[in-house]
Amino acid sequence: MSMSLDGFIAGPDDGPDNGLGVGGGRLHDWLTEGGKLGRPSSASGEVFDELMATGAVVTGRRTFDLARGWDGDHHGVPIFVLTRHDPDGDTARWPLVTYVDDVATAMSEAKKAAGGENVLVHGAGVAQLALAAGVLDELEIHLVPVLLGQGRRLFDNLSPEHIELERTRVLEGDGVTHLHYRVLR
């Protein structure tokens, strides 16, 4: 997850025509070079390669809809959408997309589908639910030195229990610090 220094993963007023909210696009500048989305040449390139090597994606329905479902293809891997509502329109027919109503099932099915590769989790709600259910093994935060002041926070709705993390890696990229943590049980 790309995150501002004050904990936001999207700016204010995120919605269908503004998925990252006002100013939220700044959080993904590390993924662009010369204004074009793609593999960065800095140390962030290693992180990009790891992202593209994940074997499945778990996402919340809101994130999925804001991303327009990645047109049914997120780097060629199965996508598991956590939702309480049946799919509609074209999204119901995308072969790589499976709709699941339970975060533990979504994570379990994604891990099976990934065949030993990592699973990419998109969306604050899914990350919070996965942490609470004890099914999230690692966190990778792409910390961007900007204060958005408002928007959608990554860790807004966690229970008051402490979740211990062990830092396993820090990489400095151009305009971003990549922090990798193992979730301790």
Side-chain angles (χ1 to χ4, degrees), residues 55-163:
V57 173
V58 174
T59 185
R61 180 65 182 263
R62 184 174 191 281
T63 299
F64 183 76
D65 287 347
L66 289 175
R68 293 182 170 79
W70 302 282
D71 292 324
D73 185 357
H74 193 300
H75 72 282
V77 302
I79 303 168
F80 294 85
V81 182
L82 185 62
T83 184
R84 290 181 296 257
H85 306 287
D86 291 333
D88 55 1
D90 291 336
T91 64
R93 295 186 295 274
W94 287 338
L96 292 175
V97 178
T98 302
Y99 295 87
V100 184
D101 65 1
D102 172 73
V103 71
T105 302
M107 293 296 288
S108 174
E109 293 298 314
K111 286 179 181 182
K112 285 180 202 168
E117 299 296 332
N118 286 334
V119 172
L120 176 64
V121 175
H122 272 301
V126 170
Q128 292 167 21
L129 289 170
L131 275 169
V135 295
L136 192 65
D137 301 323
E138 298 176 337
L139 283 170
E140 188 156 28
I141 305 296
H142 314 294
L143 192 60
V144 179
V146 63
L147 301 172
L148 293 181
Q150 296 179 357
R152 185 168 304 280
R153 288 187 187 273
L154 178 54
F155 301 117
D156 231 4
N157 298 306
L158 295 177
S159 67
E161 304 152 4
H162 289 119
I163 297 173

Side-chain angles (χ1 to χ4, degrees), residues 11-52:
D13 300 321
D14 60 331
D17 295 322
N18 192 18
L20 292 173
V22 176
R26 167 70 178 88
L27 300 175
H28 296 280
D29 284 353
W30 68 272
L31 282 168
T32 62
E33 199 154 296
K36 194 171 191 173
L37 182 65
R39 186 186 191 283
S41 59
S42 68
S44 295
E46 180 181 341
V47 174
F48 180 84
D49 291 344
E50 291 168 359
L51 174 118
M52 298 309 288

